[in-house]
């Protein structure tokens, strides 16, 4: 039965961000079909941040009217809305409307807002619900939350989303570029050549390498239907969790706590009778006192600031530049870093289940290490299209390892901070979710002008690099 609860909690956790994560990994296919083209990611960033009105409203209602918003009906509502929206996405994603000066993907943007509203609101509803279950299930929830990024990425890899190849492109005067066929031309990577007429000595055409997306193995319709199935599984898992008997949910922890209390009461009875108690009684009381000891306001402030900072990096700052930091090393390196860093998230949460550490200094040091790996990733993005060791296998290994360690370190920190706040109160978990969304919002708003307005980062075409 315990394994079943862990499985249900994990599936429930995958529904937290699976829809928006799926939307991001599908972008390489969507930008080739929708009229916004590569401006689409910047639109998505703004729409997703506008959806933070959901968690803001929930947090304010919890603060001023705590009993007016029961979380179970809210969770049922948002998961149902997410499932229906994914189904609508499958059939309406490429529908365009004429607005002002041209065609725009209005249906796509409206549906994106509802998906973002679902996923953003999950941060301040799913976590408080987890306070109803024993503490050991919280790490399982974080494992599922990590899988919400991994599962869509694996589906996108099976689909072939974003995979590119280098083709020879011929540019001739007064004609459109076309791929060279039935001809072998000696062109090295990153170079272009000019074909000169042997008779006139004039330039006839130029040939260069260019990246082209490979055709997908299945359409976005199938991809969005798979996302809707994942959301439906989350809905079923939540329904089954509600059906679990309450006395069983807390029985193991209550029994463990009762044993500790009995061990601490019996020596006290002996002391009241004037009898010496066993020497180990203080040892039995120690762990309980340490676990339930109240946090100092400074410590609590540090925890919430660390939650916001870590999520600003993992959800806002670094994802905005992952393509810039990795594509210069090749499409294979980019897909490895994206997939393996997504795997590092649930693995770090799984690791936290067996080797937990609630030491705030240790978590602070680990966050510094994770930030260091993030700084390396950011530096490579700034140096794009010619980062360190570009064209050397060592550079490829370093950037993949840096992304994996960045994701793993900070995911472990997030999981342990959630465990600490879960032991404090249900309200602490709600404010933890609010800090998650606040940090993500600040990170995204900070990077949006840097990437889309000031254009401090240069994209790299791996097929035509000249470093």
């Amino acid at each position: 039965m315990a394994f079943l609860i862990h499985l249900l909690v994990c599936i429930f956790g995958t529904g937290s961000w699976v829809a928006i994560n799926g939307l991001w990994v599908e972008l390489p296919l969507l930008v080739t079909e929708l009229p916004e083209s590569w401006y689409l990611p910047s639109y998505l960033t703004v729409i997703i941040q506008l959806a933070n009105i959901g968690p803001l409203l929930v947090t304010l209602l919890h603060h001023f009217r705590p009993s007016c918003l029961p979380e179970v009906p809210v969770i049922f509502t948002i998961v149902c809305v997410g499932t229906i929206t994914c189904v609508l996405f499958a059939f309406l994603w490429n529908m365009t409307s004429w607005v002002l000066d041209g065609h725009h993907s209005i249906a796509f943007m409206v549906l994106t807002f509802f998906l973002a509203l679902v996923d953003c609101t999950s941060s301040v509803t799913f976590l408080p619900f987890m306070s109803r279950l024993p503490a050991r299930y919280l790490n399982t929830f974080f494992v599922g939350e990590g899988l919400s990024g991994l599962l869509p990425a694996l589906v996108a890899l099976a689909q072939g989303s974003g995979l590119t190849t280098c083709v020879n492109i011929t540019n001739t005067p007064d004609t459109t570029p076309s791929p060279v066929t039935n001809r072998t031309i000696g062109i090295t990577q990153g170079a272009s050549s000019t074909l000169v007429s042997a008779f006139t000595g004039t330039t006839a055409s130029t040939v260069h390498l260019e990246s082209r997306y490979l055709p997908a193995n299945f359409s976005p319709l199938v991809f969005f239907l798979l996302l809707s199935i994942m959301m439906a599984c989350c809905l079923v898992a939540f329904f089954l969790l509600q059906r679990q008997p309450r006395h069983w949910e807390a029985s193991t922890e209550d029994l463990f706590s009762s044993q500790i209390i009995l061990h601490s009461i019996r020596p006290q009875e002996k002391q009241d009778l004037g009898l010496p108690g066993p020497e180990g009684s203080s040892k039995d009381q120690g762990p309980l006192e340490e676990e339930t000891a109240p946090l100092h306001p400074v410590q609590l402030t540090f925890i919430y600031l660390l939650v916001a900072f870590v999520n600003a990096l993992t959800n806002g700052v670094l994802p905005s530049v992952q393509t810039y930091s990795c594509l210069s090393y090749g499409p294979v390196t980019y897909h490895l870093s994206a997939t393996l860093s997504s795997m590092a998230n649930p693995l770090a949460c799984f690791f936290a289940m067996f080797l937990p550490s609630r030491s705030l200094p240790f978590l602070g040091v680990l966050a510094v290490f994770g930030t260091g790996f993030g700084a390396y990733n950011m530096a490579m993005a700034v140096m794009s299209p010619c980062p360190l060791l570009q064209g050397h296998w060592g550079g490829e290994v370093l950037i993949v390892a840096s992304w994996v360690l960045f994701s793993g370190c900070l995911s472990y920190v997030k999981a342990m901070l959630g465990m600490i706040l879960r032991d404090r109160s249900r309200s602490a978990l709600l404010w933890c979710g609010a800090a998650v969304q606040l940090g993500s919002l600040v990170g995204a708003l900070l990077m949006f002008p840097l990437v889309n307005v000031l254009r401090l980062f240069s994209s790299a075409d791996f097929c035509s690099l000249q470093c």
Side-chain angles (χ1 to χ4, degrees), residues 169-284:
I169 301 297
T170 302
N171 291 322
T172 57
D174 301 326
T175 61
T176 57
S178 61
V180 175
T181 58
N182 300 326
R183 184 185 302 179
T184 302
I185 303 176
I187 304 176
T188 59
Q189 179 180 312
S192 62
S193 63
T194 303
L195 303 182
V196 182
S197 172
F199 301 99
T200 63
T202 60
T203 300
S205 62
T206 59
V207 180
H208 66 279
L209 287 176
E210 188 175 292
S211 296
R212 288 289 175 89
Y213 285 103
L214 296 174
N217 297 323
F218 51 86
S219 66
L221 183 146
V222 177
F223 181 85
F224 286 119
L225 287 179
L226 290 175
L227 280 187
S228 65
I229 292 174
M230 295 180 194
M231 289 298 298
C233 290
C234 172
L235 180 62
V236 173
F238 180 66
F239 174 77
L240 294 177
L241 284 174
Q242 286 297 302
R243 303 280 294 180
Q244 296 301 316
R246 293 296 177 86
H247 70 273
W248 182 89
E249 289 177 2
S251 60
T252 304
E253 280 198 343
D254 290 344
L255 178 61
F256 179 71
S257 300
S258 300
Q259 290 174 347
I260 295 178
I261 293 172
L262 285 175
H263 280 295
S264 61
I265 290 176
R266 285 172 183 169
Q268 184 64 37
E269 291 175 349
K270 293 183 178 181
Q271 290 176 2
D272 292 340
L273 295 174
L275 299 175
E279 296 178 358
S281 62
S282 60
K283 296 179 181 179
D284 291 334

Side-chain angles (χ1 to χ4, degrees), residues 113-420:
F113 175 79
F114 281 101
L115 276 189
L117 188 64
V118 168
D119 289 0
C120 291
T121 309
S122 71
S123 295
V124 292
T125 53
F126 285 19
L127 275 177
F129 170 77
M130 288 305 300
S131 64
R132 300 185 175 197
L133 301 178
R136 63 183 180 276
Y137 293 116
L138 187 59
N139 270 334
T140 306
F141 172 80
F142 285 123
V143 171
E145 194 177 57
L147 290 176
S148 69
L150 175 62
L151 293 179
L154 294 179
V155 174
L157 282 179
Q159 183 187 26
S161 174
L163 296 179
T164 61
T165 185
C166 297
V167 297
N168 293 327
I169 301 297
T170 302
N171 291 322
T172 57
D174 301 326
T175 61
T176 57
S178 61
V180 175
T181 58
N182 300 326
R183 184 185 302 179
T184 302
I185 303 176
I187 304 176
T188 59
Q189 179 180 312
S192 62
S193 63
T194 303
L195 303 182
V196 182
S197 172
F199 301 99
T200 63
T202 60
T203 300
S205 62
T206 59
V207 180
H208 66 279
L209 287 176
E210 188 175 292
S211 296
R212 288 289 175 89
Y213 285 103
L214 296 174
N217 297 323
F218 51 86
S219 66
L221 183 146
V222 177
F223 181 85
F224 286 119
L225 287 179
L226 290 175
L227 280 187
S228 65
I229 292 174
M230 295 180 194
M231 289 298 298
C233 290
C234 172
L235 180 62
V236 173
F238 180 66
F239 174 77
L240 294 177
L241 284 174
Q242 286 297 302
R243 303 280 294 180
Q244 296 301 316
R246 293 296 177 86
H247 70 273
W248 182 89
E249 289 177 2
S251 60
T252 304
E253 280 198 343
D254 290 344
L255 178 61
F256 179 71
S257 300
S258 300
Q259 290 174 347
I260 295 178
I261 293 172
L262 285 175
H263 280 295
S264 61
I265 290 176
R266 285 172 183 169
Q268 184 64 37
E269 291 175 349
K270 293 183 178 181
Q271 290 176 2
D272 292 340
L273 295 174
L275 299 175
E279 296 178 358
S281 62
S282 60
K283 296 179 181 179
D284 291 334
Q285 293 177 357
L288 182 61
E289 292 175 357
E290 181 181 353
E291 183 178 353
T292 59
L295 291 171
H296 192 274
V298 175
Q299 293 176 312
L300 200 58
T301 302
F302 171 76
I303 290 175
Y304 283 123
L305 288 177
L306 189 57
V307 168
F309 174 75
V310 167
N311 282 278
L313 293 183
T314 57
N315 299 339
V317 176
L318 270 301
S320 303
V321 298
Q322 187 168 22
T323 54
Y324 296 102
S325 67
C326 298
L327 274 181
S328 299
Y329 295 99
V332 175
T333 302
Y334 169 68
H335 282 284
L336 279 177
S337 66
T339 305
L340 293 180
S341 62
S342 296
M343 292 177 63
N345 188 334
L347 286 177
C349 298
F350 188 76
F351 182 75
M353 296 173 63
F354 300 98
L355 291 175
S357 174
R358 298 168 184 258
S359 169
L360 291 183
F362 172 77
L363 295 177
V365 170
L366 193 61
V368 170
F369 276 107
T371 305
F373 293 120
Y376 177 82
N377 300 336
M378 179 64 72
M380 296 306 101
V382 172
M383 298 174 65
S384 175
C386 298
L388 295 177
L389 299 176
Q390 194 278 328
H392 190 275
W393 65 268
E396 300 172 10
V397 171
L398 279 176
I399 194 65
V400 172
S402 180
W403 272 102
V404 170
L405 293 173
F406 162 76
S407 178
C409 290
L410 297 189
S411 296
Y412 181 90
V413 172
K414 286 193 290 184
M416 292 313 307
L417 292 177
M419 289 292 294
I420 294 172

Side-chain angles (χ1 to χ4, degrees), residues 31 34-41 43 96 103-106 109:
V31 297
L34 298 180
E36 289 78 12
S37 187
W38 277 108
Y39 288 103
L40 189 61
Y43 285 107
T96 59
H103 287 282
H104 294 280
S105 308
I106 301 300
M109 296 180 186

